[in-house]
Amino acid sequence: MSRLETYMQPGTQPALHTRKLCSCNAVLALGRTDAVTTDAPVPDTSLFGVILLNSPANTDEDFASYIRLFERHRGRVAPASWAREGEEEAEATPASSRLHEHRPYFICADGAYAALKRYCAKRCIGIAGSGSTAAQSAFIASRLCDALIGDLDSLPATHAMLLADAGDAEVVLAAAADAEPPRRRDDGQGNNGGDKRLLFHDSVNSIPVTLLEKIRRRRDAYRHREASASPTTPVEPFVLLPVACQMSTDFMKCVALLQRLWALDVGMPDSLNGVDPLRGFDKEVPLAAQSPDVTSLAFDCVARLPEALSTAEVQAGEDRQEADRCRRLLESITTSAPFTTEQPAQRLETRVLPNIAVLGALGGRIDHEFGVVCCLLCYARVFHIMAMNKYNVLFACWPDGVTQLVLPPSWSSSGPAPRETAAPYMCGIIPFGFVREMETAGLRWNVVKGRPEVYDGYTQTNNYRLAFDGLVSACNTVTSPVVTIDVRPLHCALGPCFPGSAAPMKCSCDPDAPSVNPPTLFTLGLPRVCPDYHEDAPASL
C-alpha cells in the first residue's frame, strides 16, 4: 500500500496544506502598467509596504512609480506641475483613507534615498516659484519615505548627520564606547562628523521598539491630516536606521524591518521571538486577523471560476481528459467547489498575505538580482512581495502548497474593445531546484509532474526533468483569470501533518530541507497595448 493510499484510509485525518490566494492588483489594476482600464471594483489593492532599492538600471519611471504609489495612498506631495502630459493629478483624498484603515509604510534602502533626491531635483528644475532647487528637492524627498535602512556604504556619515541637523531624519547617536568597527562608519576621507557618531545596530532584530514606534507614528500621521492640508505641512522626520550586519542585503533589511512593523501593527510583537531570517523560514507566521480586502479577493476568485473553467475547456479542444483535469484541480482547491461526499485527501487553509511592492530591485548587477530573488523566496510564507519594473512582476509561490493568482478585472478571455487590444500576460514558473510534484491550470503550457494518477496526455511533461538545471516554464502565457500552481507533496513525503498542524512536510530524500519541492518563482510579464489593425483600415503615411 502506497503512502498516498494510507492518507485516504477512513478515519485518518487529512493532511493540512496552505493555499496562497493572491493578486498583483495593487501594482497593476490601478497603475499605468495595466493596458486596459475598467470601471469594475478592484479587490486586493491595499499595500502593507513599498520598498525603493538603488539599482544602476533604475529609470525615471521607477521613481515616478514610487511617487505615484505614495500619492495614491497619502495624497499629493509633489507640485502639480510635475504631472506629465496625459497623467491625472493625485487626488486630494488618498485611496487608503477611503478603503483601508492603515496605509503602507514607505522604506528606502541605502543609496535609494540619494537617487530619489536627485530625481526630485531634476523635476524641480524649471518649476516657476519653486525656490531653491536643492532645498525643494530635499524637502520633497524627505517626505517620501518613513525609514532609510542599510549599512550606509552609499551614505557617508557626514551626509547622514546633515540630514539629522536639517530635521529631515531621526537618528540615534553612539556613545564614545560604541565607536568601534563595524559600528563606526566615515565618508571615506577620515571624517565621521566630529564628535557625533551614528549608532549602528547589530541587526534589524536589535533595533529598539521605540524607533519602530516613531516609524509607525509617521505613517499614521498622514491618516490624521486634513485632506486640504498643504504639501508643505510639516511632518515628523523619517527614521535613519544604520545596520552593521553584512550577512544580509539592504533589501533583506527592508523586508525584516517591515516584518517587525507588521508584528506591532497586528498586536503580536512576540511572534518573531527566536526568528532568524538568515536561517530561512520553514513555517508560516501566525495568521492575523484578515482584512475586508481578503474577503473581496476570495469572492472575486469564486466569481471568476466559471470563466476559468470555460477557458480551460476551450483550450483543451477535443481533449476532454485535459478539460476534466483542470476542472478537478480547480474544484479541489476552491472553497466553492461542488459538494462531494468523498473525504478529501488534503485539507487547505487559505491565506492572503500582506502585499509589498518593490521598485528598483531588477537590473544592474546579476548577483544583486539573485539576492533579490533569494529574499523573495525566503519570505514566501510571510509577505506577498512583488518585485517589479516596467517589464515584469516577480513573486514567490507558497512552498509545498497551492498558489492561486487572480488577474485584474480588466483581464478577459473575450478581449477588450475591438480597437484597442491588450497584449497577453507572458509568464514563467522558475523552480530553484528539482521539482518532485507540480500541477498547474490557467496557462497555455500547463505542467503535470510527479502525479501518476493525473492525466498527462495533453501536457506531456511528466517524463521531463523539471529543475533549475533542467526544464523550466519560460515564455508561457496566461490564458485564464485564475492561475493555479499546485506544488503540494502528495506522494514524496514521510507522512501527513499532525491534525490541525500547518507545519510543512519533510521529504525522505532531504529531511533537513524546509520544503519537499524547491522554492518556486512566478514571473508575470506586463502587457502592452497593441493597436488592433484591420485589413480594411487605411494605412498610415
Side-chain angles (χ1 to χ4, degrees):
M1 181 180 296
S2 68
R3 286 194 178 98
L4 182 63
E5 290 172 338
T6 62
Y7 296 169
M8 300 182 180
Q9 291 302 303
T12 61
Q13 183 72 21
L16 178 62
H17 291 280
T18 298
R19 169 200 182 211
K20 173 187 174 181
L21 185 61
C22 63
S23 78
C24 294
N25 293 344
V27 297
L28 290 182
L30 298 182
R32 288 164 176 77
T33 54
D34 195 9
V36 184
T37 59
T38 177
D39 295 329
V42 181
D44 194 37
T45 56
S46 64
L47 284 167
F48 179 75
V50 180
I51 297 174
L52 180 63
L53 301 180
N54 185 35
S55 168
N58 281 0
T59 65
D60 285 356
E61 179 59 28
D62 292 303
F63 298 112
S65 297
Y66 179 83
I67 294 176
R68 282 198 296 266
L69 285 172
F70 186 94
E71 293 186 328
R72 179 193 303 167
H73 292 279
R74 295 193 180 178
R76 183 185 304 147
V77 67
S81 54
W82 276 26
R84 295 181 298 184
E85 184 178 355
E87 283 189 0
E88 297 179 0
E89 293 185 4
E91 299 182 51
T93 304
S96 299
S97 64
R98 297 191 300 266
L99 300 178
H100 310 291
E101 181 181 356
H102 293 294
R103 299 179 183 176
Y105 294 99
F106 286 82
I107 310 296
C108 279
D110 180 24
Y113 177 77
L116 179 63
K117 190 164 66 171
R118 288 193 297 270
Y119 170 80
C120 293
K122 183 166 59 174
R123 298 306 298 266
C124 281
I125 295 176
I127 297 178
S130 63
S132 169
T133 298
Q136 179 78 356
S137 61
F139 174 77
I140 293 175
S142 68
R143 296 171 63 87
L144 291 172
C145 71
D146 300 317
L148 192 163
I149 187 171
D151 57 12
L152 298 196
D153 58 352
S154 299
L155 183 68
T158 50
H159 292 185
M161 295 311 305
L162 288 175
L163 288 173
D165 293 340
D168 293 334
E170 178 82 23
V171 301
V172 177
L173 300 180
D178 293 327
E180 299 177 358
R183 296 179 177 83
R184 180 177 177 177
R185 297 290 189 274
D186 57 35
D187 59 4
Q189 300 176 352
N191 300 319
N192 55 26
D195 294 332
K196 296 180 179 180
R197 300 184 180 93
L198 295 176
L199 174 65
F200 275 73
H201 308 283
D202 291 329
S203 66
V204 175
N205 286 340
S206 65
I207 296 174
V209 175
T210 53
L211 290 179
L212 302 181
E213 291 293 351
K214 289 183 178 181
I215 299 174
R216 297 181 68 202
R217 285 199 301 271
R218 177 182 168 91
R219 186 273 312 265
D220 293 340
Y222 282 89
R223 182 172 46 171
H224 302 299
R225 290 177 64 211
E226 296 293 334
S228 59
S230 168
T232 60
T233 302
V235 294
E236 292 191 21
F238 67 81
V239 179
L240 181 62
L241 298 172
V243 178
C245 177
Q246 294 295 309
M247 297 296 290
S248 60
T249 63
D250 285 344
F251 179 38
M252 183 171 286
K253 293 178 177 69
C254 291
V255 180
L257 173 62
L258 285 174
Q259 188 181 14
R260 290 198 63 191
L261 292 169
W262 171 86
L264 291 174
D265 278 6
V266 299
M268 304 171 67
D270 297 330
S271 63
L272 301 180
N273 288 345
V275 173
D276 183 1
L278 296 179
R279 298 181 182 273
F281 294 102
D282 61 355
K283 61 181 179 180
E284 56 270 25
V285 295
L287 188 63
Q290 303 290 280
S291 69
D293 220 23
V294 173
T295 304
S296 64
L297 181 61
F299 282 149
D300 188 43
C301 180
V302 171
R304 305 182 77 180
L305 189 60
E307 184 182 0
L309 294 173
S310 175
T311 55
E313 187 168 344
V314 171
Q315 181 175 328
E318 297 181 357
D319 194 333
R320 295 301 310 167
Q321 294 185 80
E322 171 63 9
D324 289 342
R325 181 196 70 80
C326 293
R327 176 185 55 78
R328 283 194 295 268
L329 177 61
L330 287 172
E331 292 183 348
S332 68
I333 60 179
T334 306
T335 55
S336 65
F339 178 77
T340 176
T341 57
E342 297 180 4
Q343 182 183 14
Q346 310 288 330
R347 293 183 299 148
L348 284 171
E349 177 184 61
T350 298
R351 287 174 177 260
V352 178
L353 301 177
N355 293 320
I356 295 179
V358 184
L359 296 156
L362 306 176
R365 283 170 43 186
I366 191 67
D367 59 324
H368 285 176
E369 286 194 312
F370 273 108
V372 167
V373 170
C374 289
C375 188
L376 297 183
L377 301 175
C378 176
Y379 284 89
R381 295 182 174 95
V382 182
F383 292 123
H384 179 53
I385 307 177
M386 298 166 284
M388 62 177 295
N389 61 9
K390 64 180 181 179
Y391 301 111
N392 311 279
V393 177
L394 316 180
F395 63 86
C397 298
W398 187 277
D400 283 355
V402 179
T403 299
Q404 277 197 311
L405 172 70
V406 183
L407 272 291
S410 59
W411 190 97
S412 174
S413 58
S414 59
R419 290 295 299 171
E420 189 175 30
T421 302
Y425 282 99
M426 305 301 292
C427 65
I429 305 175
I430 313 298
F432 286 80
F434 171 69
V435 175
R436 294 180 172 88
E437 293 187 48
M438 179 184 290
E439 185 178 358
T440 71
L443 306 176
R444 181 181 181 185
W445 309 108
N446 282 308
V447 174
V448 175
K449 176 66 178 178
R451 295 183 177 175
E453 76 283 0
V454 176
Y455 174 69
D456 184 43
Y458 186 89
T459 59
Q460 299 184 12
T461 54
N462 193 50
N463 293 327
Y464 288 96
R465 174 181 169 84
L466 270 63
F468 195 57
D469 61 348
L471 179 67
V472 299
S473 177
C475 299
N476 212 327
T477 307
V478 173
T479 59
S480 170
V482 179
V483 176
T484 302
I485 304 170
D486 181 4
V487 291
R488 289 174 293 174
L490 306 182
H491 297 269
C492 184
L494 294 179
C497 300
F498 292 106
S501 171
M505 294 183 178
K506 299 294 184 179
C507 177
S508 56
C509 307
D510 186 4
D512 294 327
S515 60
V516 173
N517 282 297
T520 302
L521 188 74
F522 187 79
T523 68
L524 190 66
L526 300 184
R528 294 291 181 266
V529 174
C530 307
D532 187 13
Y533 295 108
H534 298 277
E535 293 182 358
D536 56 350
S540 300
L541 300 179

